[in-house]
Amino acid sequence: MMYDATAHLLLTPVDKEAPSRVRRLRRLGIGLRPEPAFDAFADRLAEVTGAPYSMVNFIDENRQFFAGLHTPGDTVDGSELTSTAAAQDTACRYMARDHGYCPHVVVRRKALVLEDVCDYPRFAGNPVVDEIGIRSYLGAPLIDRTGIALGTVCVVDVEPRPWGRAGLETIKAMAAELVEQIHRREDGGI
């Protein structure tokens, strides 16, 4: 585990499953580039939860990749990006593994609800709080049929949010739905 020597707080958990996850993601052909289906899923997730940001996030040994991303102002018109816009879009979809809360969800293999990250010393010092302004988080792991946690679906807000039990049930249901889509895709159904 990585610790901040000055604060003695767990920053980013050790992820022993990462090599297996990367192999599985490569076999599935996901987690390397943005995909319209994952973007559409992130759009729907934002709509369902009322969150300004939502992601379909796949994690390797060093970084996170938002294969599906919804940010404020995104449209849901299905229009294609130009090649320059697509390249810029891809560049802004990466985040270091020690930023954010999804690596915790993947290692814990359980959903995480942070209504106000500042209420949790373990999470309040995460770089996304100061650098991006994240104040609340709701995420669930994407555990596939092989038992590997591929990544997460999550929503975040720059304001504290009372996600509650309803939010927890929603994010878990959405994660299960996306895992089923990934399985259908693997089976040739999508």
Side-chain angles (χ1 to χ4, degrees), residues 2 5 20 24 40 47 57-58 60 75 132-133 135 143-144 160 178 189:
M2 294 173 48
S20 300
R24 179 73 173 137
E47 183 179 336
N57 186 12
F58 298 110
D60 67 22
T75 59
I132 303 171
R135 285 294 301 275
I143 300 174
D144 81 343
L178 185 58

Side-chain angles (χ1 to χ4, degrees), residues 81-90:
L81 295 170
T82 65
S83 59
T84 303
Q88 291 168 341
D89 186 50
T90 300

